[in-house]
Amino acid sequence: MTQKIVVVGSSNTDMVIKMERLPKPGETLLGGDFIKAAGGKGANQAVAAARLGGQVTFVARVGTDIFGSEAVENFRKDGIDVEHVSVDPDNPSGVALIFVDANGENCIAVASSANNHLSPADVQLATHQIANANVLLMQLEIPLDTVQAAAEIAHKNGVQVILNPAPARELDDELLRYVSIITPNETELELLTGKKVTDAASAESAARVLLDRGVKTVIVTLGAQGAFLLSGDVATMVPSKTISALDTTAAGDAFNGALAFALAQGMPLQEAVHFSNMTGALSATNLGAQPSMPTLEQLQLFMDA
Ligand code: ADP
């Protein structure tokens, strides 16, 4: 049986320019290729989980403009339930301006717009879906009180909550105690704990701070190195696969969508982290956020290769 995943989060349209190198302040660089792609951490993660075969409900807010309607149309094509993607009459859809250099490194500016107006009331309307999900997956591109409201509903109903604390923001213990699994990258973990993170050992020491604050499991994504898993007695590095990265913009989103999918299927935690590493790595070999999210079939070919 397909298990249910609810994603509460942002939807943006990404305007991506691929350059030899990133521009410096005040500098104009010519010669990049432009692509427009559907993005936003919430939407990316919803699409990642859906493309792998997950049954996904997305709770989000878009504007009345063409970006919003295109986004919703794309969610439908990926089989995502969009009943709770509301159209905001007063605020435009979210937009992200992204530069990607020849090494796949990026630099991003986001106009959140409608995403900033996704409210606790919007989440309350999706109470039934959240309460009946196997996994609730969220990020931090929407208001924190909205994240808190959804986490509370999930917690009250025994639904596991995965929080990808991106982009980096400080979080209250009140929210953290409702979080089953938190998935920071190095920068986010540093901001959350005040500890420098460079490798598995420093990731473990910082991750322990979050366990002490009430989170049950911490998974630190470490780019090409893979991910560090800390949960109960388990403290282990789960390596990724060696790839030639083209665009790592949404590798973290691919990772989180895959994690929600794998855990909703009942995959054991460490295996789920490996599965998510592979999805993150494969997505980094393709350009664009949602266009780079693989199907289960593509992922299996990549894992076997
Ligand atoms: P974020 O984009 O949030 O900073 P990461 O860069 O840590 O996230 O990437 C998320 C996951 O994607 C990593 O844990 C890893 O599994 C995979 N990944 C990302 N970049 C690479 C890479 N260059 N080689 C292999 N795997 C990668």
Side-chain angles (χ1 to χ4, degrees), residues 26-301:
E27 184 185 31
T28 302
L29 283 179
L30 296 182
D33 292 328
F34 172 73
I35 60 165
K36 176 165 86 68
K41 289 180 192 299
N44 295 344
Q45 296 182 18
V47 167
R51 252 182 229 162
L52 291 167
Q55 188 183 324
V56 178
T57 296
F58 188 33
V59 181
R61 206 168 246 264
V62 297
T64 52
D65 44 56
I66 180 80
F67 295 139
S69 50
E70 278 181 1
V72 172
E73 185 54 33
N74 286 331
F75 301 148
R76 282 211 182 89
K77 280 192 196 138
D78 275 310
I80 294 170
D81 171 10
V82 294
E83 189 192 334
H84 293 281
V85 178
S86 49
V87 179
D88 189 315
D90 303 318
N91 296 284
S93 301
V95 168
L97 304 182
I98 303 178
F99 301 120
V100 183
D101 76 9
N103 301 316
E105 190 56 67
N106 61 48
C107 175
I108 306 177
V110 180
S112 294
S113 308
N115 296 302
N116 268 344
H117 298 267
L118 185 69
S119 67
D122 292 324
V123 162
Q124 301 296 345
L125 290 174
T127 296
H128 176 78
Q129 280 79 358
I130 296 171
N132 288 287
N134 297 86
V135 173
L136 169 68
L137 172 62
M138 295 188 287
Q139 318 72 29
L140 301 176
E141 282 187 333
I142 56 171
L144 275 182
D145 56 349
T146 306
V147 174
Q148 176 82 27
E152 273 182 41
I153 296 170
H155 186 260
K156 209 181 283 172
N157 290 280
V159 176
Q160 64 179 326
V161 177
I162 304 178
L163 179 65
N164 174 221
R169 278 165 92 161
E170 280 175 31
L171 298 173
D172 290 342
D173 289 354
E174 210 195 326
L175 172 60
L176 289 180
R177 71 195 161 107
Y178 294 133
V179 174
S180 328
I181 302 179
I182 194 163
T183 59
N185 66 12
E186 296 103 311
T187 327
E188 291 143 12
L189 184 58
E190 279 183 26
L191 185 114
L192 285 169
T193 64
K195 290 184 151 215
K196 188 96 195 124
V197 179
T198 49
D199 54 9
S202 52
E204 174 168 357
S205 141
R208 290 213 177 271
V209 174
L210 295 179
L211 288 199
D212 291 343
R213 290 179 64 191
V215 180
K216 279 161 212 71
T217 297
V218 183
I219 301 172
V220 188
T221 62
L222 295 165
Q225 295 180 71
F228 183 82
L229 167 64
L230 181 65
S231 183
D233 295 341
V234 180
T236 187
M237 190 65 206
V238 185
S240 189
K241 185 165 163 141
T242 305
I243 52 149
S244 152
L246 183 67
D247 174 16
T248 60
T249 304
D253 294 335
F255 183 99
N256 281 281
L259 185 68
F261 168 77
L263 294 176
Q265 303 297 307
M267 203 184 278
L269 193 52
Q270 203 165 324
E271 202 182 309
V273 174
H274 169 70
F275 180 87
S276 307
N277 273 336
M278 296 300 107
T279 311
L282 177 52
S283 82
T285 65
N286 286 309
L287 199 62
Q290 286 163 42
S292 74
M293 299 305 172
T295 62
L296 193 56
E297 201 183 0
Q298 289 165 334
L299 182 64
Q300 253 141 17
L301 285 172

